Amino acid sequence: MASHAASRTAERVAGREIIVVQDTSELILGGRRAKANGYGPVGKGGGTRGLLLHAALALDAGTDALLGLVDAQVWNRDKGKVTPRRSRATTDKESQRWLSATAQASAALSTAQSITVISDRESDIYEHFARRPANVELLVRANWNRKIKLKSGAFAKQFAFVDGLPEAARFSVTIPAAPGRKERIAELALRFSPIMLCRPHPSPGPDLPDMIRLTMVDVREVSSTHDGEPIHWRLLTTHVIRSPKQARRIVDLYRKRWTIEEFFRTLKSAGFDIEEADIGEPEVMIKFVAAAAVATVTIMQLVRARDGTTEEELTEAFEPDDQPVLEALSSQLEGATVKQKNPHPKGTLAFAAWVIARLGGWTAYYGKPGPKVMRLGLEAFRRIKYGTTLRLKNV
């Protein structure tokens, strides 16, 4: 399922500047029974009661259009002790998922104009940078205060080095509201510099280079008046940066990583409530999670397109033969009032989003259709489409 979804995504990226956001989330296994017994992702006595899903999504860097799933890895952690982390190769660790998803992006999205893979601190792995595919750039939030080599030949710690740099620029951004956080305007100070990152000791691999040339971009909030923690990101990238404008763009690209958080929220609560599935068998749940991950991307695409501002075509999320079915349904679902007419051009994703929302129970009068409405509508559409294929076979 994930492989088929990735192949469909590959059809949409040709000639585009693409970013790929990736991350991992834990999912409770066993639904209500697991919760009632006090199990979270890791159960009593250290036994695993959860699955892990690592997903990677492709977006158009210029328009923010969500183009589809690139990779989805689902697994259940083995019980019992494992060999100490430093004694294992990266290929034998869960951290291999970051490298594997990057390799998948390289292969699947090869027709793109450019590919930048973006990930959070857990992916700050020396081997991730050392083994990146030639057609992929990386943008990673730094986690480790590693040793770097200075132009003078001396060595320093990367955090202290960047903290000592002069500000290159200041700019203001709008930080959107989130659970427990109000929207605010934040003033950010920007610093950046090329660095030579030294291979850690003990070496993660004998064939890795002694040093890797990267750029560090440091951005921190300097005008914080809110109660929460101020923004401070130390970003490592393989992109060459020569100006504050280019450094600012790296910050803007990293902010798009939030899409993967939106994906997991839609999967786990806003759209599917997948952790409520009363499935205790890991292999069955793995297949269910993979199918739900594919559907979650489509739901997100529909929610984003509902206002008609994304200017995306219907084929960004649907098959070409879905269009006549959607147009027929639109005619049936339209009411007598202006508000109950589909306001979007045929062939657009917004047109499809209106139809799916109506199938999901949206009246077209109140509010905007959210993920749950789109999920219900998408399920209804697929049943209807399946019914049309049965009729055609019987003709």
Side-chain angles (χ1 to χ4, degrees):
M1 287 179 283
S3 177
H4 175 71
S7 65
R8 291 281 292 122
T9 303
E11 296 171 1
R12 305 174 186 132
V13 304
R16 289 178 162 184
E17 185 181 1
I18 299 299
I19 60 172
V20 176
V21 290
Q22 60 168 328
D23 205 354
T24 307
S25 186
E26 294 176 311
L27 303 170
I28 293 172
L29 177 63
R32 294 182 181 88
R33 291 179 298 174
K35 292 180 182 178
N37 291 329
Y39 289 104
V42 179
K44 296 174 181 177
T48 299
R49 290 296 304 170
L51 300 177
L52 290 102
L53 166 63
H54 186 82
L57 308 176
L59 294 89
D60 186 300
T63 66
D64 288 350
L66 176 55
L67 303 179
L69 196 68
V70 177
D71 192 30
Q73 305 167 45
V74 192
W75 70 97
N76 184 31
R77 280 194 178 123
D78 296 329
K79 298 179 180 180
K81 295 182 178 180
V82 296
T83 306
R85 181 176 61 86
R86 291 185 179 275
S87 302
R88 289 176 284 143
T90 300
T91 52
D92 297 326
K93 301 176 187 177
E94 285 185 352
S95 54
Q96 174 63 32
R97 65 191 185 273
W98 305 101
L99 283 71
S100 297
T102 301
Q104 167 68 3
S106 168
L109 311 181
S110 59
T111 60
Q113 177 184 329
S114 65
I115 307 168
T116 299
V117 175
I118 303 173
S119 46
D120 212 352
R121 285 178 286 198
E122 197 175 349
S123 69
D124 182 10
I125 303 166
Y126 190 81
E127 207 165 344
H128 190 198
F129 295 105
R131 299 196 188 282
R132 73 175 175 96
N135 65 332
V136 171
E137 303 290 349
L138 296 180
L139 173 53
V140 173
R141 188 174 176 186
N143 186 45
W144 305 106
N145 190 13
R146 292 194 181 94
K147 184 171 71 173
I148 61 173
K149 186 175 182 180
L150 305 178
K151 291 181 179 179
S152 64
F155 294 93
K157 289 291 188 177
Q158 61 185 38
F159 291 173
F161 169 73
V162 76
D163 288 348
L165 294 174
E167 288 185 19
R170 284 197 179 191
F171 59 95
S172 296
V173 297
T174 300
I175 307 299
R181 184 185 74 196
K182 296 181 180 180
E183 180 180 297
R184 70 180 191 276
I185 304 296
E187 185 179 6
L188 304 177
L190 184 69
R191 296 172 174 84
F192 69 95
S193 175
I195 61 171
M196 292 296 293
L197 195 66
C198 299
R199 185 174 63 183
H201 181 78
S203 174
D207 59 335
L208 299 181
D210 291 335
M211 286 180 286
I212 301 173
R213 184 179 297 277
L214 300 173
T215 301
M216 173 165 273
V217 177
D218 181 279
V219 61
R220 64 187 74 194
E221 193 170 354
V222 293
S223 62
S224 178
T225 58
H226 64 102
D227 296 332
E229 185 177 352
I231 292 171
H232 186 192
W233 297 335
R234 293 182 173 108
L235 307 175
L236 293 169
T237 182
T238 56
H239 282 283
V240 175
I241 299 173
R242 296 187 176 90
S243 68
K245 181 179 179 180
Q246 291 175 330
R248 164 70 188 274
R249 183 172 181 275
I250 291 298
V251 175
D252 291 340
L253 287 179
Y254 183 76
R255 293 184 68 193
K256 299 177 191 294
R257 198 198 69 84
W258 176 251
T259 303
I260 196 71
E261 304 291 350
E262 180 188 350
F263 168 83
F264 286 124
R265 186 178 68 86
T266 302
L267 179 70
K268 296 169 74 170
S269 60
F272 271 93
D273 286 335
I274 195 170
E275 292 182 314
E276 291 296 317
D278 201 14
I279 301 173
E281 179 59 43
E283 290 303 317
V284 176
M285 187 64 172
I286 285 172
K287 292 178 181 178
F288 177 52
V289 169
V294 174
T296 295
V297 174
T298 304
I299 290 167
M300 289 176 62
Q301 289 174 310
L302 291 168
V303 171
R304 287 172 166 223
R306 66 191 175 189
D307 296 329
T309 58
T310 62
E311 299 182 355
E312 295 172 83
E313 296 181 0
L314 183 146
T315 50
E316 297 284 6
F318 291 88
E319 302 288 346
D321 61 355
D322 290 334
Q323 184 165 345
V325 182
L326 287 164
E327 290 180 4
L329 286 169
S330 181
S331 298
Q332 293 179 7
L333 292 167
E334 286 185 339
T337 67
V338 173
K339 284 190 174 182
Q340 289 184 313
K341 302 292 184 183
N342 193 333
H344 306 293
K346 294 179 179 179
T348 65
L349 190 54
F351 180 93
W354 187 93
V355 174
I356 299 301
R358 294 285 281 126
L359 289 173
W362 180 56
T363 65
Y365 278 107
Y366 304 106
K368 295 182 179 182
K372 287 188 178 180
V373 168
M374 292 300 188
R375 174 179 64 82
L376 294 172
L378 191 61
E379 291 171 356
F381 171 75
R382 286 173 175 167
R383 289 194 296 269
I384 293 168
K385 185 184 177 184
Y386 180 66
T388 63
T389 62
L390 291 179
R391 287 198 298 272
L392 289 172
K393 288 179 181 178
N394 293 327
V395 172

